[in-house]
Amino acid sequence: MNDVVLQVKDLRTEFTLRSGVVKAVDGVSFDVGRGRILGLVGESGSGKSVTGYSILGLVELPGRIAGGEVLLRGVDVTRLRGEALRRIRGAQIAMVFQDPMMTLNPVLKVATQMVAAIRAHAKVSTAVARQRARDALATVGIPSPEERLDAYPHQLSGGMRQRVAIAIALLHQPAVIIADEPTTALDVSIQSQILAEVRRLADETGTAFVWITHDLAVVSSLADDICVMYAGRVVESGPAAAVIASPRHPYTAGLLASVPAEHVPGTRLPQVPGTAPSLADLPPGCSFAPRCAKATATCRTPPPLQQFEDGRSALCHFPLLPSMPATRVAA
């Protein structure tokens, strides 16, 4: 595909601990096209956030990227170091964190921070940088952007701070933005506004997004494609509408079955039984087998990656048939 801007190929990230080597990301692969939004979904500890940090080269000791490639417009980011890596961060690839205060300095005005971010990659005057900063705030739907530039982060609401963080990520119109659960702490109305703005920005600017979340309800209305992660691996991937409508992996089906919006208020929610395994002590074969209602002795061996006609894939010995409802998996 000539519009692919980010290719992750067999990415492996390990953490060396006293207890041994933990494979936090184990052979993850996916592509993201220009203006597309990829939802990276999974429970806490599934490896999705570490995948995002690995793409930007933000993994620090005791962690390391043990293998694979991260191709940003054909350039392998995992091979870049020092100044070469700093030049692409912010300019070609950026990140939006769950807590905007990880992006914003609480003792500096918004204008000061945005102007510094612009001038780090572009040789422009302070006046031009301020104008670009104001335009970026307007782009993400912030009212009275000139006034907001002269505010400190604590003078803004949580939703407004997150919009500022997104605006900073967009300053240089990067090819890719990694968003790590940026709307989790916001109320539903603010969340929906930001999701609508992100969808518009992807369509209008061509920036690709990797949207990391545990919330399938979010990606169902936002993402073009979905990768579902479990225990450091992608267990299902494909077009978002198809995955949501008819999951092929039992884990995906279990996640969908537990979405509150799909059930009558007051009724007991189905749930995936058990808990996610420790990455330091994974079961043999399929990592999901101990929690899966469909597991057999065969599942004690590594599952194959099965490809389907509609471009979807599932890492499973016994993938669900298209007609199987998601609720069959939850015990």
Side-chain angles (χ1 to χ4, degrees), residues 185-204:
L186 306 177
D187 63 63
V188 176
S189 61
I190 299 299
Q191 182 182 86
S192 63
Q193 291 175 23
I194 291 179
L195 294 180
E197 290 290 346
V198 167
R199 180 70 266 177
R200 181 183 63 80
L201 290 168
D203 293 338
E204 293 182 359

Side-chain angles (χ1 to χ4, degrees), residues 238-316:
V243 172
I244 296 295
S246 180
R248 289 299 186 93
H249 196 282
Y251 176 61
T252 310
L255 291 179
L256 286 166
S258 63
V259 174
E262 300 299 318
H263 301 277
V264 177
T267 60
R268 186 180 181 86
L269 284 177
Q271 58 183 313
V272 182
T275 58
S278 166
L279 293 176
D281 186 26
L282 294 175
C286 176
S287 299
F288 185 62
R291 307 174 69 187
C292 182
K294 293 174 62 65
T296 70
T298 302
C299 299
R300 294 173 186 160
T301 61
L305 181 64
Q306 304 207 38
Q307 306 281 353
F308 305 101
E309 314 77 40
D310 56 1
R312 296 165 61 189
S313 64
L315 192 68
C316 185

Side-chain angles (χ1 to χ4, degrees), residues 65-234:
I65 295 177
E69 296 178 311
V70 176
L71 302 177
L72 179 64
R73 289 176 169 166
V75 176
D76 189 356
V77 178
T78 65
R79 297 181 180 275
L80 300 180
R81 298 290 184 274
E83 185 60 30
L85 185 57
R86 284 191 291 272
R87 277 199 301 268
I88 71 161
R89 287 184 186 151
Q92 297 183 45
I93 186 168
M95 189 159 192
V96 179
F97 297 93
Q98 179 174 344
D99 181 1
M101 296 309 286
M102 291 184 67
T103 300
L104 303 175
N105 188 321
V107 299
L108 296 178
K109 291 182 178 181
V110 170
T112 302
Q113 300 181 60
M114 296 187 74
V115 167
I118 292 169
R119 299 187 71 185
H121 296 283
K123 295 181 179 180
V124 297
S125 67
T126 299
V128 170
R130 184 182 174 92
Q131 179 62 49
R132 284 176 58 176
R134 184 175 65 183
D135 292 344
L137 293 184
T139 297
V140 297
I142 291 180
S144 305
E146 183 67 36
E147 178 182 340
R148 306 301 180 191
L149 280 175
D150 292 320
Y152 288 94
H154 72 270
Q155 295 175 310
L156 306 176
S157 67
M160 199 73 75
R161 286 195 294 267
Q162 196 58 278
R163 286 175 188 256
V164 172
I166 294 172
I168 290 174
L170 284 165
L171 283 174
H172 297 282
Q173 295 187 340
V176 182
I177 291 178
I178 311 294
D180 188 13
E181 305 208 46
T183 61
T184 298
L186 306 177
D187 63 63
V188 176
S189 61
I190 299 299
Q191 182 182 86
S192 63
Q193 291 175 23
I194 291 179
L195 294 180
E197 290 290 346
V198 167
R199 180 70 266 177
R200 181 183 63 80
L201 290 168
D203 293 338
E204 293 182 359
T205 68
T207 295
F209 284 80
V210 177
W211 196 272
I212 299 169
T213 182
H214 65 277
D215 192 342
L216 276 168
V218 168
V219 294
S220 66
S221 62
L222 176 69
D224 299 295
D225 305 286
I226 289 179
C227 284
V228 180
M229 290 191 68
Y230 186 81
R233 307 190 75 182
V234 173

